[in-house]
Amino acid sequence: MQDPSKDSPARHLALQGASNFRDLGGYATSDGRTTRWRHIFRSNHLGQLTAADVEIIRALGVRSAFDFRGLEERTSGACVVDEITVHSLPIEPTVVASLRAELARGTLTGPLALELMRESYRNYVRHNTHRFRMLFGHLLEDRAPLVIHCTAGKDRTGFASALILHALGVPDDVIAEDYLLTNQHYKRDASSVSDLPADVVDAIGSVNASYLAAAFDAVSSDYGDIEAYLRDGLKLGAAERTALQERYLQA
């Protein structure tokens, strides 16, 4: 992981009501530029922010949020920052329902939970590419600073963040390390899955390199490679890539 200098902003903002609020700035690209600090944030949901958290978010100047939560998820944790305009890009969660079905059948195991997580990532590509395409449309139109989130800020948000960093030219190993930072910062709420075995809860409550790899395997299978996916799946042609990089990179 590229260590920010002592003069760089903090990558992780330790909010009381959101444990996984992070900055995608400060990453070097393959052509020698750097992602801009304080432009794109990624987070878990913004429905439990404290008054002190809200003041921090306001000071950052965040005005737009892109929310990948499903329709039911959104009702239990609406954004509490009045100044933020929320754009819903719903990707309905499926893993917990699948796990409970396996539990009812008596077939639930830790390895199966890992595979169900990988399959959910493959489905981001197979069934939800239009949502990520919409996100990039917003990134090209909305003014930063902005935040991308889902419920935990780790899976849907993790894949979205990886796509953004790819589009900006950040190397694969750095993208993978940014993705795995969730395991250092996210404080999971296990109350909703307390009936599941501990190894299953671990599988769905953390990120794993094999999850992100499964999504990019689906990209390769369906589109050929990540460049083709950005072009054909996300509709980022040369002009859009250049505009995105001009907006979110610095020399």
Side-chain angles (χ1 to χ4, degrees), residues 180-230:
L180 292 171
L181 281 178
T182 282
N183 289 337
Q184 295 182 31
H185 300 300
Y186 177 57
K187 294 181 176 64
R188 72 179 76 158
D189 175 11
S191 60
S192 62
V193 291
S194 57
D195 57 324
L196 300 175
D199 58 347
V200 172
V201 173
D202 285 341
I204 64 174
S206 60
V207 291
N208 184 298
S210 73
Y211 301 167
L212 192 59
F216 287 115
D217 285 345
V219 164
S220 297
S221 175
D222 292 358
Y223 291 86
D225 60 24
I226 182 61
E227 290 301 316
Y229 183 63
L230 293 173

Side-chain angles (χ1 to χ4, degrees), residues 40-82:
I40 303 177
F41 298 94
R42 52 171 296 177
S43 182
N44 48 324
H45 78 86
L46 307 177
Q48 296 178 341
L49 299 177
T50 65
D53 294 337
V54 170
E55 290 308 309
I56 292 171
I57 301 296
R58 285 177 174 152
L60 292 171
V62 176
R63 291 292 182 271
S64 297
F66 304 99
D67 184 354
F68 285 111
R69 291 179 298 171
L71 299 180
E72 186 175 335
E73 288 175 282
R74 289 178 59 214
T75 61
S76 61
C79 177
V80 298
V81 186
D82 293 339

Side-chain angles (χ1 to χ4, degrees), residues 229-240:
Y229 183 63
L230 293 173
R231 183 187 67 241
D232 301 332
L234 303 181
K235 306 304 180 186
L236 293 175
E240 288 80 13

Side-chain angles (χ1 to χ4, degrees), residues 102-191:
E102 297 290 347
L103 182 66
R105 285 193 287 266
T107 53
L108 181 59
T109 64
L112 178 59
L114 290 168
E115 180 52 31
L116 287 172
M117 286 297 299
R118 287 189 283 267
E119 184 66 7
S120 72
Y121 274 68
R122 295 182 192 108
N123 286 336
Y124 295 156
V125 177
R126 294 170 181 159
H127 305 308
N128 295 286
T129 286
H130 63 294
R131 296 301 187 200
F132 299 104
R133 185 186 310 136
M134 292 170 66
L135 171 65
F136 277 93
H138 283 296
L139 292 178
L140 286 164
E141 295 174 3
D142 280 78
R143 291 185 178 274
L146 52 88
V147 61
I148 298 159
H149 74 90
C150 48
T151 292
K154 68 183 191 69
D155 300 313
R156 292 161 288 190
T157 298
F159 182 54
S161 299
L163 291 176
I164 291 167
L165 294 176
H166 267 295
L168 294 175
V170 175
D172 291 354
D173 60 333
V174 177
I175 292 171
E177 290 178 17
D178 178 83
Y179 170 76
L180 292 171
L181 281 178
T182 282
N183 289 337
Q184 295 182 31
H185 300 300
Y186 177 57
K187 294 181 176 64
R188 72 179 76 158
D189 175 11
S191 60

